[in-house]
Amino acid sequence: DAKTTQPNSMESNEEEPVHLPCNHSTISGTDYIHWYRQLPSQGPEYVIHGLTSNVNNRMASLAIAEDRKSSTLILHRATLRDAAVYYCIANAGNMLTFGGGTRLMVKP
Amino acid sequence: SQTIHQWPATLVQPVGSPLSLECTVEGTSNPNLYWYRQAAGRGLQLLFYSVGIGQISSEVPQNLSASRPQDRQFILSSKKLLLSDSGFYLCAWRKGRRELFFGEGSRLTVL
């Protein structure tokens, strides 16, 4: 896995968009960028992944920089249920290694 | 649809006792299987992964072991638990490079 760097924590207000950054400057051409999130006392759940192009799904959007050295997970309207630890992973092989992630706190 | 189950959900064990956590996946074949551990307040640590029956890769040397006796069964074991083995153990499966699906987790407390 390429090393990823994320802020330890971020705060957001409910109903506002959230942009969660991730740096992966050593990413290789075949590494996919994966995002997972973990709610308290649960296992992580898949959010989104991409390779080069921006991606959208029902949960979030993934914006990938043109040089692929960074990406941003976008939650369009944060809800209290989005409070979780968000993990960014850059990986091409069988192993998915989770770093410290970003703890997102959502204020009502 | 695919499902993953792991058990037991919670267990309290004395130091030096054995451990066996089981994980089964349904609705798919030849998945990649993983065991992760999360200590209290910490991130996820990959312990073992398997790409097929009898094929186990260990990421961290320790007193734990894993086995895959059947295609969709993954077992985490220890002969003698340490206090430091306490944590939240998560089994996961993946098909190729697709997303990773996690089980409900097993919370182990070693006293």
Side-chain angles (χ1 to χ4, degrees), chain B residues 9-74:
Chain B
T10 308
L11 65 166
V12 180
Q13 296 284 102
V15 169
S17 64
L19 171 74
S20 180
L21 300 178
E22 293 197 32
C23 172
T24 59
V25 180
E26 296 176 0
T28 188
S29 60
N30 197 30
N32 291 341
L33 296 173
Y34 304 81
W35 278 111
Y36 288 86
R37 177 173 64 195
Q38 188 169 36
R42 307 289 294 275
L44 280 87
Q45 179 186 32
L46 178 61
L47 300 176
F48 302 95
Y49 72 95
S50 170
V51 298
I53 296 174
Q55 300 178 61
I56 310 293
S57 296
S58 173
E59 290 304 303
V60 183
Q62 56 206 328
N63 67 318
L64 300 173
S65 62
S67 62
R68 185 171 177 173
Q70 299 180 43
D71 181 45
R72 292 169 291 164
Q73 184 184 24
F74 206 23

Short mmCIF file of all heavy atoms in Angstrom, two decimals, chain B residues 9-74:
data_model
loop_
_atom_site.label_atom_id
_atom_site.label_comp_id
_atom_site.label_asym_id
_atom_site.label_seq_id
_atom_site.Cartn_x
_atom_site.Cartn_y
_atom_site.Cartn_z
N ALA B 9 -19.51 -13.16 19.62
CA ALA B 9 -19.52 -11.70 19.53
C ALA B 9 -18.72 -11.08 20.67
O ALA B 9 -18.08 -10.05 20.50
CB ALA B 9 -20.96 -11.18 19.58
N THR B 10 -18.77 -11.71 21.83
CA THR B 10 -18.08 -11.20 23.01
C THR B 10 -17.51 -12.37 23.79
O THR B 10 -18.17 -13.41 23.92
CB THR B 10 -19.05 -10.41 23.91
OG1 THR B 10 -19.72 -9.43 23.14
CG2 THR B 10 -18.30 -9.74 25.04
N LEU B 11 -16.31 -12.23 24.29
CA LEU B 11 -15.79 -13.24 25.19
C LEU B 11 -14.76 -12.65 26.13
O LEU B 11 -14.06 -11.70 25.78
CB LEU B 11 -15.22 -14.44 24.43
CG LEU B 11 -14.01 -14.32 23.53
CD1 LEU B 11 -13.48 -15.71 23.22
CD2 LEU B 11 -14.32 -13.59 22.26
N VAL B 12 -14.75 -13.22 27.31
CA VAL B 12 -13.80 -12.83 28.35
C VAL B 12 -13.00 -14.08 28.69
O VAL B 12 -13.57 -15.10 29.05
CB VAL B 12 -14.52 -12.29 29.60
CG1 VAL B 12 -13.49 -11.91 30.66
CG2 VAL B 12 -15.40 -11.11 29.24
N GLN B 13 -11.68 -13.98 28.54
CA GLN B 13 -10.83 -15.14 28.74
C GLN B 13 -9.68 -14.81 29.70
O GLN B 13 -9.17 -13.69 29.68
CB GLN B 13 -10.21 -15.56 27.39
CG GLN B 13 -11.21 -16.04 26.35
CD GLN B 13 -11.70 -17.44 26.66
OE1 GLN B 13 -12.80 -17.60 27.17
NE2 GLN B 13 -10.90 -18.43 26.34
N PRO B 14 -9.26 -15.78 30.51
CA PRO B 14 -8.10 -15.53 31.36
C PRO B 14 -6.80 -15.63 30.57
O PRO B 14 -6.73 -16.30 29.53
CB PRO B 14 -8.19 -16.67 32.40
CG PRO B 14 -8.96 -17.75 31.73
CD PRO B 14 -9.90 -17.08 30.79
N VAL B 15 -5.79 -14.94 31.08
CA VAL B 15 -4.46 -15.04 30.48
C VAL B 15 -4.02 -16.50 30.46
O VAL B 15 -4.23 -17.24 31.42
CB VAL B 15 -3.45 -14.20 31.30
CG1 VAL B 15 -2.03 -14.49 30.86
CG2 VAL B 15 -3.75 -12.71 31.15
N GLY B 16 -3.44 -16.90 29.34
CA GLY B 16 -2.94 -18.26 29.22
C GLY B 16 -3.94 -19.25 28.66
O GLY B 16 -3.57 -20.40 28.36
N SER B 17 -5.17 -18.82 28.49
CA SER B 17 -6.19 -19.74 27.96
C SER B 17 -6.15 -19.72 26.43
O SER B 17 -5.63 -18.78 25.82
CB SER B 17 -7.58 -19.34 28.46
OG SER B 17 -7.94 -18.06 27.97
N PRO B 18 -6.74 -20.74 25.79
CA PRO B 18 -6.74 -20.75 24.31
C PRO B 18 -7.87 -19.89 23.76
O PRO B 18 -8.77 -19.47 24.47
CB PRO B 18 -6.98 -22.23 23.99
CG PRO B 18 -7.74 -22.74 25.16
CD PRO B 18 -7.25 -21.97 26.36
N LEU B 19 -7.76 -19.64 22.46
CA LEU B 19 -8.75 -18.82 21.78
C LEU B 19 -9.11 -19.43 20.44
O LEU B 19 -8.23 -19.97 19.74
CB LEU B 19 -8.19 -17.42 21.53
CG LEU B 19 -9.03 -16.50 20.64
CD1 LEU B 19 -10.26 -16.01 21.38
CD2 LEU B 19 -8.21 -15.32 20.14
N SER B 20 -10.37 -19.36 20.08
CA SER B 20 -10.80 -19.73 18.73
C SER B 20 -11.94 -18.82 18.32
O SER B 20 -12.99 -18.81 18.94
CB SER B 20 -11.25 -21.19 18.69
OG SER B 20 -11.65 -21.54 17.37
N LEU B 21 -11.70 -18.03 17.29
CA LEU B 21 -12.73 -17.18 16.70
C LEU B 21 -13.01 -17.72 15.30
O LEU B 21 -12.09 -18.01 14.56
CB LEU B 21 -12.27 -15.73 16.60
CG LEU B 21 -11.90 -15.02 17.90
CD1 LEU B 21 -11.42 -13.60 17.60
CD2 LEU B 21 -13.07 -14.98 18.85
N GLU B 22 -14.28 -17.81 14.96
CA GLU B 22 -14.65 -18.36 13.67
C GLU B 22 -15.36 -17.33 12.80
O GLU B 22 -16.07 -16.46 13.29
CB GLU B 22 -15.54 -19.58 13.84
CG GLU B 22 -14.85 -20.75 14.46
CD GLU B 22 -15.61 -22.05 14.25
OE1 GLU B 22 -16.28 -22.20 13.22
OE2 GLU B 22 -15.53 -22.91 15.14
N CYS B 23 -15.15 -17.48 11.52
CA CYS B 23 -15.73 -16.57 10.55
C CYS B 23 -16.17 -17.39 9.34
O CYS B 23 -15.39 -18.22 8.86
CB CYS B 23 -14.70 -15.53 10.14
SG CYS B 23 -15.19 -14.45 8.78
N THR B 24 -17.39 -17.18 8.88
CA THR B 24 -17.84 -17.85 7.67
C THR B 24 -18.49 -16.84 6.73
O THR B 24 -19.11 -15.88 7.16
CB THR B 24 -18.84 -18.98 7.95
OG1 THR B 24 -19.97 -18.43 8.63
CG2 THR B 24 -18.24 -20.06 8.81
N VAL B 25 -18.30 -17.09 5.46
CA VAL B 25 -18.86 -16.24 4.42
C VAL B 25 -19.83 -17.09 3.60
O VAL B 25 -19.53 -18.25 3.30
CB VAL B 25 -17.74 -15.68 3.52
CG1 VAL B 25 -18.33 -14.79 2.42
CG2 VAL B 25 -16.75 -14.89 4.35
N GLU B 26 -20.95 -16.51 3.23
CA GLU B 26 -21.94 -17.21 2.42
C GLU B 26 -22.25 -16.40 1.18
O GLU B 26 -22.17 -15.18 1.18
CB GLU B 26 -23.22 -17.45 3.23
CG GLU B 26 -23.02 -18.36 4.43
CD GLU B 26 -24.28 -18.50 5.27
OE1 GLU B 26 -25.30 -17.89 4.90
OE2 GLU B 26 -24.24 -19.21 6.28
N GLY B 27 -22.58 -17.10 0.12
CA GLY B 27 -23.03 -16.42 -1.09
C GLY B 27 -21.95 -16.06 -2.07
O GLY B 27 -22.20 -15.33 -3.04
N THR B 28 -20.73 -16.53 -1.85
CA THR B 28 -19.65 -16.28 -2.78
C THR B 28 -18.68 -17.45 -2.71
O THR B 28 -18.78 -18.30 -1.82
CB THR B 28 -18.92 -14.97 -2.46
OG1 THR B 28 -17.99 -14.66 -3.50
CG2 THR B 28 -18.17 -15.05 -1.14
N SER B 29 -17.77 -17.51 -3.66
CA SER B 29 -16.79 -18.60 -3.65
C SER B 29 -15.39 -18.02 -3.82
O SER B 29 -15.21 -16.97 -4.45
CB SER B 29 -17.08 -19.60 -4.78
OG SER B 29 -17.02 -18.95 -6.04
N ASN B 30 -14.43 -18.72 -3.24
CA ASN B 30 -13.02 -18.33 -3.31
C ASN B 30 -12.78 -16.86 -2.96
O ASN B 30 -12.09 -16.15 -3.70
CB ASN B 30 -12.46 -18.63 -4.70
CG ASN B 30 -10.94 -18.64 -4.69
OD1 ASN B 30 -10.32 -18.96 -3.69
ND2 ASN B 30 -10.34 -18.25 -5.80
N PRO B 31 -13.33 -16.40 -1.86
CA PRO B 31 -13.06 -15.01 -1.48
C PRO B 31 -11.68 -14.89 -0.86
O PRO B 31 -11.12 -15.86 -0.35
CB PRO B 31 -14.13 -14.72 -0.43
CG PRO B 31 -14.34 -16.05 0.23
CD PRO B 31 -14.18 -17.08 -0.86
N ASN B 32 -11.11 -13.69 -0.87
CA ASN B 32 -9.97 -13.39 -0.01
C ASN B 32 -10.53 -13.13 1.38
O ASN B 32 -11.56 -12.46 1.53
CB ASN B 32 -9.22 -12.14 -0.50
CG ASN B 32 -8.51 -12.37 -1.82
OD1 ASN B 32 -8.27 -13.50 -2.22
ND2 ASN B 32 -8.19 -11.29 -2.50
N LEU B 33 -9.87 -13.68 2.40
CA LEU B 33 -10.36 -13.54 3.77
C LEU B 33 -9.30 -12.87 4.63
O LEU B 33 -8.10 -13.08 4.42
CB LEU B 33 -10.71 -14.93 4.35
CG LEU B 33 -11.87 -15.65 3.66
CD1 LEU B 33 -12.02 -17.07 4.18
CD2 LEU B 33 -13.18 -14.88 3.85
N TYR B 34 -9.75 -12.10 5.59
CA TYR B 34 -8.85 -11.28 6.40
C TYR B 34 -9.26 -11.33 7.88
O TYR B 34 -10.44 -11.41 8.20
CB TYR B 34 -8.92 -9.80 5.95
CG TYR B 34 -8.61 -9.59 4.49
CD1 TYR B 34 -9.59 -9.80 3.52
CD2 TYR B 34 -7.34 -9.19 4.07
CE1 TYR B 34 -9.31 -9.61 2.18
CE2 TYR B 34 -7.07 -8.99 2.72
CZ TYR B 34 -8.06 -9.21 1.79
OH TYR B 34 -7.78 -9.02 0.45
N TRP B 35 -8.25 -11.25 8.75
CA TRP B 35 -8.47 -10.97 10.16
C TRP B 35 -7.75 -9.67 10.51
O TRP B 35 -6.56 -9.52 10.23
CB TRP B 35 -7.91 -12.09 11.05
CG TRP B 35 -8.80 -13.27 11.20
CD1 TRP B 35 -8.61 -14.53 10.71
CD2 TRP B 35 -10.04 -13.34 11.92
NE1 TRP B 35 -9.64 -15.36 11.07
CE2 TRP B 35 -10.54 -14.66 11.81
CE3 TRP B 35 -10.78 -12.41 12.66
CZ2 TRP B 35 -11.73 -15.07 12.40
CZ3 TRP B 35 -11.97 -12.81 13.24
CH2 TRP B 35 -12.43 -14.13 13.12
N TYR B 36 -8.52 -8.76 11.13
CA TYR B 36 -7.97 -7.52 11.64
C TYR B 36 -8.19 -7.48 13.16
O TYR B 36 -9.12 -8.10 13.68
CB TYR B 36 -8.69 -6.30 11.03
CG TYR B 36 -8.38 -6.02 9.59
CD1 TYR B 36 -9.09 -6.66 8.57
CD2 TYR B 36 -7.41 -5.09 9.22
CE1 TYR B 36 -8.83 -6.37 7.23
CE2 TYR B 36 -7.14 -4.80 7.89
CZ TYR B 36 -7.86 -5.45 6.91
OH TYR B 36 -7.61 -5.17 5.58
N ARG B 37 -7.38 -6.68 13.82
CA ARG B 37 -7.58 -6.43 15.25
C ARG B 37 -7.54 -4.92 15.48
O ARG B 37 -6.72 -4.21 14.90
CB ARG B 37 -6.51 -7.10 16.10
CG ARG B 37 -6.66 -6.80 17.60
CD ARG B 37 -5.70 -7.63 18.43
NE ARG B 37 -4.32 -7.31 18.16
CZ ARG B 37 -3.29 -8.07 18.55
NH1 ARG B 37 -3.52 -9.19 19.22
NH2 ARG B 37 -2.07 -7.71 18.29
N GLN B 38 -8.40 -4.49 16.38
CA GLN B 38 -8.43 -3.08 16.76
C GLN B 38 -8.37 -2.99 18.27
O GLN B 38 -9.31 -3.39 18.97
CB GLN B 38 -9.69 -2.41 16.23
CG GLN B 38 -9.71 -0.91 16.40
CD GLN B 38 -10.86 -0.28 15.62
OE1 GLN B 38 -11.94 -0.83 15.51
NE2 GLN B 38 -10.62 0.91 15.05
N ALA B 39 -7.25 -2.49 18.79
CA ALA B 39 -7.14 -2.26 20.23
C ALA B 39 -7.97 -1.02 20.57
O ALA B 39 -8.26 -0.20 19.70
CB ALA B 39 -5.68 -2.08 20.62
N ALA B 40 -8.32 -0.89 21.83
CA ALA B 40 -9.19 0.21 22.26
C ALA B 40 -8.61 1.56 21.84
O ALA B 40 -7.46 1.87 22.14
CB ALA B 40 -9.36 0.17 23.77
N GLY B 41 -9.43 2.34 21.12
CA GLY B 41 -9.01 3.68 20.72
C GLY B 41 -7.95 3.72 19.63
O GLY B 41 -7.38 4.79 19.38
N ARG B 42 -7.67 2.59 19.02
CA ARG B 42 -6.61 2.55 18.01
C ARG B 42 -7.17 2.21 16.64
O ARG B 42 -8.35 1.93 16.47
CB ARG B 42 -5.57 1.49 18.42
CG ARG B 42 -5.02 1.65 19.82
CD ARG B 42 -4.11 2.84 19.95
NE ARG B 42 -2.90 2.69 19.17
CZ ARG B 42 -1.81 2.07 19.60
NH1 ARG B 42 -1.78 1.51 20.79
NH2 ARG B 42 -0.74 2.01 18.82
N GLY B 43 -6.28 2.20 15.65
CA GLY B 43 -6.67 1.84 14.30
C GLY B 43 -6.71 0.34 14.09
O GLY B 43 -6.45 -0.44 15.00
N LEU B 44 -7.02 -0.06 12.87
CA LEU B 44 -7.11 -1.49 12.54
C LEU B 44 -5.75 -2.03 12.14
O LEU B 44 -5.05 -1.43 11.33
CB LEU B 44 -8.08 -1.72 11.38
CG LEU B 44 -9.54 -1.71 11.73
CD1 LEU B 44 -10.08 -0.31 11.69
CD2 LEU B 44 -10.32 -2.58 10.76
N GLN B 45 -5.41 -3.15 12.69
CA GLN B 45 -4.15 -3.82 12.38
C GLN B 45 -4.47 -5.10 11.62
O GLN B 45 -5.22 -5.95 12.10
CB GLN B 45 -3.42 -4.14 13.68
CG GLN B 45 -2.11 -4.87 13.49
CD GLN B 45 -1.50 -5.29 14.82
OE1 GLN B 45 -2.19 -5.59 15.79
NE2 GLN B 45 -0.18 -5.32 14.86
N LEU B 46 -3.90 -5.25 10.44
CA LEU B 46 -4.10 -6.47 9.67
C LEU B 46 -3.26 -7.58 10.28
O LEU B 46 -2.05 -7.44 10.45
CB LEU B 46 -3.69 -6.25 8.21
CG LEU B 46 -3.79 -7.46 7.28
CD1 LEU B 46 -5.22 -7.97 7.18
CD2 LEU B 46 -3.25 -7.10 5.90
N LEU B 47 -3.92 -8.69 10.63
CA LEU B 47 -3.21 -9.81 11.26
C LEU B 47 -2.89 -10.90 10.24
O LEU B 47 -1.75 -11.34 10.13
CB LEU B 47 -4.09 -10.41 12.37
CG LEU B 47 -4.49 -9.49 13.51
CD1 LEU B 47 -5.43 -10.23 14.46
CD2 LEU B 47 -3.27 -8.97 14.25
N PHE B 48 -3.88 -11.35 9.52
CA PHE B 48 -3.72 -12.44 8.56
C PHE B 48 -4.61 -12.20 7.35
O PHE B 48 -5.66 -11.57 7.46
CB PHE B 48 -4.13 -13.79 9.18
CG PHE B 48 -3.37 -14.18 10.42
CD1 PHE B 48 -3.88 -13.90 11.67
CD2 PHE B 48 -2.15 -14.84 10.31
CE1 PHE B 48 -3.19 -14.25 12.82
CE2 PHE B 48 -1.45 -15.19 11.45
CZ PHE B 48 -1.96 -14.90 12.70
N TYR B 49 -4.18 -12.73 6.21
CA TYR B 49 -5.08 -12.78 5.08
C TYR B 49 -4.84 -14.08 4.31
O TYR B 49 -3.76 -14.67 4.39
CB TYR B 49 -4.99 -11.56 4.18
CG TYR B 49 -3.75 -11.43 3.33
CD1 TYR B 49 -3.74 -11.89 2.01
CD2 TYR B 49 -2.61 -10.83 3.84
CE1 TYR B 49 -2.60 -11.74 1.23
CE2 TYR B 49 -1.49 -10.68 3.06
CZ TYR B 49 -1.48 -11.14 1.76
OH TYR B 49 -0.36 -10.99 0.98
N SER B 50 -5.87 -14.48 3.58
CA SER B 50 -5.81 -15.76 2.88
C SER B 50 -6.45 -15.62 1.51
O SER B 50 -7.54 -15.07 1.37
CB SER B 50 -6.56 -16.83 3.69
OG SER B 50 -6.72 -18.02 2.94
N VAL B 51 -5.75 -16.14 0.49
CA VAL B 51 -6.30 -16.08 -0.86
C VAL B 51 -6.88 -17.42 -1.28
O VAL B 51 -7.42 -17.54 -2.39
CB VAL B 51 -5.23 -15.61 -1.88
CG1 VAL B 51 -4.77 -14.19 -1.52
CG2 VAL B 51 -4.06 -16.56 -1.92
N GLY B 52 -6.76 -18.45 -0.43
CA GLY B 52 -7.32 -19.75 -0.77
C GLY B 52 -7.18 -20.72 0.38
O GLY B 52 -6.50 -20.44 1.39
N ILE B 53 -7.79 -21.88 0.25
CA ILE B 53 -7.74 -22.90 1.30
C ILE B 53 -6.29 -23.23 1.63
O ILE B 53 -5.48 -23.49 0.74
CB ILE B 53 -8.47 -24.18 0.85
CG1 ILE B 53 -9.96 -23.89 0.65
CG2 ILE B 53 -8.30 -25.30 1.87
CD1 ILE B 53 -10.73 -25.06 0.09
N GLY B 54 -5.98 -23.20 2.91
CA GLY B 54 -4.66 -23.55 3.37
C GLY B 54 -3.59 -22.50 3.11
O GLY B 54 -2.43 -22.69 3.46
N GLN B 55 -3.94 -21.39 2.49
CA GLN B 55 -2.96 -20.33 2.18
C GLN B 55 -3.17 -19.17 3.14
O GLN B 55 -4.17 -18.47 3.05
CB GLN B 55 -3.12 -19.86 0.74
CG GLN B 55 -2.93 -20.94 -0.30
CD GLN B 55 -3.16 -20.39 -1.71
OE1 GLN B 55 -2.46 -19.50 -2.16
NE2 GLN B 55 -4.15 -20.93 -2.40
N ILE B 56 -2.22 -18.98 4.04
CA ILE B 56 -2.32 -17.95 5.06
C ILE B 56 -1.07 -17.08 5.00
O ILE B 56 0.04 -17.60 4.99
CB ILE B 56 -2.42 -18.56 6.48
CG1 ILE B 56 -3.50 -19.63 6.54
CG2 ILE B 56 -2.64 -17.44 7.51
CD1 ILE B 56 -4.89 -19.14 6.36
N SER B 57 -1.27 -15.77 4.98
CA SER B 57 -0.15 -14.83 5.09
C SER B 57 -0.30 -14.08 6.41
O SER B 57 -1.38 -13.58 6.72
CB SER B 57 -0.16 -13.84 3.93
OG SER B 57 0.04 -14.52 2.71
N SER B 58 0.79 -14.02 7.14
CA SER B 58 0.78 -13.35 8.43
C SER B 58 1.48 -12.00 8.31
O SER B 58 2.56 -11.92 7.73
CB SER B 58 1.50 -14.21 9.47
OG SER B 58 1.65 -13.51 10.68
N GLU B 59 0.84 -10.99 8.84
CA GLU B 59 1.42 -9.66 8.76
C GLU B 59 2.19 -9.27 10.01
O GLU B 59 3.07 -8.41 9.95
CB GLU B 59 0.32 -8.63 8.49
CG GLU B 59 -0.26 -8.74 7.09
CD GLU B 59 0.81 -8.63 6.03
OE1 GLU B 59 1.52 -7.62 6.00
OE2 GLU B 59 0.95 -9.58 5.23
N VAL B 60 1.83 -9.83 11.12
CA VAL B 60 2.44 -9.43 12.38
C VAL B 60 2.82 -10.69 13.16
O VAL B 60 1.95 -11.48 13.49
CB VAL B 60 1.50 -8.57 13.23
CG1 VAL B 60 2.20 -8.11 14.49
CG2 VAL B 60 0.99 -7.37 12.44
N PRO B 61 4.11 -10.89 13.48
CA PRO B 61 4.48 -12.07 14.27
C PRO B 61 3.98 -11.94 15.70
O PRO B 61 4.15 -10.92 16.32
CB PRO B 61 6.01 -12.06 14.23
CG PRO B 61 6.37 -10.65 13.94
CD PRO B 61 5.26 -10.09 13.08
N GLN B 62 3.29 -12.93 16.19
CA GLN B 62 2.70 -12.88 17.52
C GLN B 62 2.23 -14.27 17.90
O GLN B 62 2.48 -15.22 17.18
CB GLN B 62 1.54 -11.90 17.51
CG GLN B 62 0.50 -12.23 16.47
CD GLN B 62 -0.26 -10.98 16.06
OE1 GLN B 62 -0.47 -10.09 16.85
NE2 GLN B 62 -0.67 -10.93 14.81
N ASN B 63 1.51 -14.37 18.98
CA ASN B 63 1.07 -15.69 19.44
C ASN B 63 -0.27 -16.09 18.87
O ASN B 63 -0.95 -16.95 19.42
CB ASN B 63 1.03 -15.70 20.97
CG ASN B 63 -0.06 -14.79 21.49
OD1 ASN B 63 -0.24 -13.69 20.99
ND2 ASN B 63 -0.80 -15.24 22.50
N LEU B 64 -0.68 -15.48 17.78
CA LEU B 64 -1.92 -15.84 17.13
C LEU B 64 -1.62 -16.61 15.86
O LEU B 64 -0.56 -16.46 15.25
CB LEU B 64 -2.73 -14.58 16.78
CG LEU B 64 -3.15 -13.69 17.93
CD1 LEU B 64 -3.79 -12.41 17.40
CD2 LEU B 64 -4.11 -14.41 18.87
N SER B 65 -2.57 -17.43 15.43
CA SER B 65 -2.45 -18.15 14.17
C SER B 65 -3.80 -18.16 13.49
O SER B 65 -4.83 -17.89 14.11
CB SER B 65 -1.95 -19.58 14.41
OG SER B 65 -2.89 -20.30 15.20
N ALA B 66 -3.79 -18.43 12.21
CA ALA B 66 -5.04 -18.49 11.45
C ALA B 66 -5.04 -19.73 10.59
O ALA B 66 -3.98 -20.23 10.20
CB ALA B 66 -5.20 -17.24 10.58
N SER B 67 -6.22 -20.21 10.31
CA SER B 67 -6.36 -21.36 9.43
C SER B 67 -7.58 -21.18 8.55
O SER B 67 -8.54 -20.48 8.91
CB SER B 67 -6.49 -22.66 10.24
OG SER B 67 -7.64 -22.64 11.06
N ARG B 68 -7.53 -21.81 7.39
CA ARG B 68 -8.65 -21.76 6.44
C ARG B 68 -8.92 -23.19 5.99
O ARG B 68 -8.45 -23.62 4.95
CB ARG B 68 -8.32 -20.86 5.26
CG ARG B 68 -9.49 -20.67 4.30
CD ARG B 68 -9.17 -19.60 3.28
NE ARG B 68 -10.25 -19.44 2.31
CZ ARG B 68 -10.28 -18.47 1.39
NH1 ARG B 68 -9.29 -17.59 1.33
NH2 ARG B 68 -11.29 -18.40 0.55
N PRO B 69 -9.68 -23.92 6.80
CA PRO B 69 -9.92 -25.32 6.48
C PRO B 69 -10.89 -25.54 5.32
O PRO B 69 -10.85 -26.58 4.67
CB PRO B 69 -10.52 -25.87 7.79
CG PRO B 69 -11.11 -24.68 8.46
CD PRO B 69 -10.25 -23.52 8.09
N GLN B 70 -11.74 -24.57 5.07
CA GLN B 70 -12.69 -24.64 3.96
C GLN B 70 -12.68 -23.31 3.21
O GLN B 70 -12.20 -22.30 3.74
CB GLN B 70 -14.10 -24.94 4.46
CG GLN B 70 -14.24 -26.26 5.19
CD GLN B 70 -15.67 -26.50 5.65
OE1 GLN B 70 -16.62 -26.25 4.91
NE2 GLN B 70 -15.82 -26.98 6.87
N ASP B 71 -13.22 -23.32 2.01
CA ASP B 71 -13.15 -22.13 1.16
C ASP B 71 -13.70 -20.87 1.83
O ASP B 71 -13.17 -19.78 1.67
CB ASP B 71 -13.93 -22.40 -0.14
CG ASP B 71 -13.89 -21.22 -1.09
OD1 ASP B 71 -12.79 -20.66 -1.28
OD2 ASP B 71 -14.94 -20.86 -1.66
N ARG B 72 -14.78 -21.03 2.59
CA ARG B 72 -15.44 -19.86 3.14
C ARG B 72 -15.39 -19.83 4.66
O ARG B 72 -16.25 -19.22 5.31
CB ARG B 72 -16.89 -19.82 2.64
CG ARG B 72 -16.99 -19.54 1.14
CD ARG B 72 -18.39 -19.77 0.62
NE ARG B 72 -18.74 -21.17 0.64
CZ ARG B 72 -19.99 -21.63 0.54
NH1 ARG B 72 -20.99 -20.79 0.45
NH2 ARG B 72 -20.24 -22.92 0.54
N GLN B 73 -14.40 -20.47 5.24
CA GLN B 73 -14.25 -20.50 6.69
C GLN B 73 -12.85 -20.05 7.07
O GLN B 73 -11.85 -20.53 6.52
CB GLN B 73 -14.51 -21.92 7.22
CG GLN B 73 -14.47 -22.02 8.73
CD GLN B 73 -14.64 -23.46 9.21
OE1 GLN B 73 -14.34 -24.40 8.47
NE2 GLN B 73 -15.11 -23.62 10.44
N PHE B 74 -12.78 -19.13 8.01
CA PHE B 74 -11.50 -18.58 8.45
C PHE B 74 -11.51 -18.58 9.96
O PHE B 74 -12.45 -18.09 10.58
CB PHE B 74 -11.35 -17.16 7.90
CG PHE B 74 -9.93 -16.69 7.71
CD1 PHE B 74 -8.88 -17.57 7.57
CD2 PHE B 74 -9.64 -15.33 7.66
CE1 PHE B 74 -7.58 -17.14 7.36
CE2 PHE B 74 -8.35 -14.87 7.45
CZ PHE B 74 -7.33 -15.78 7.31
#
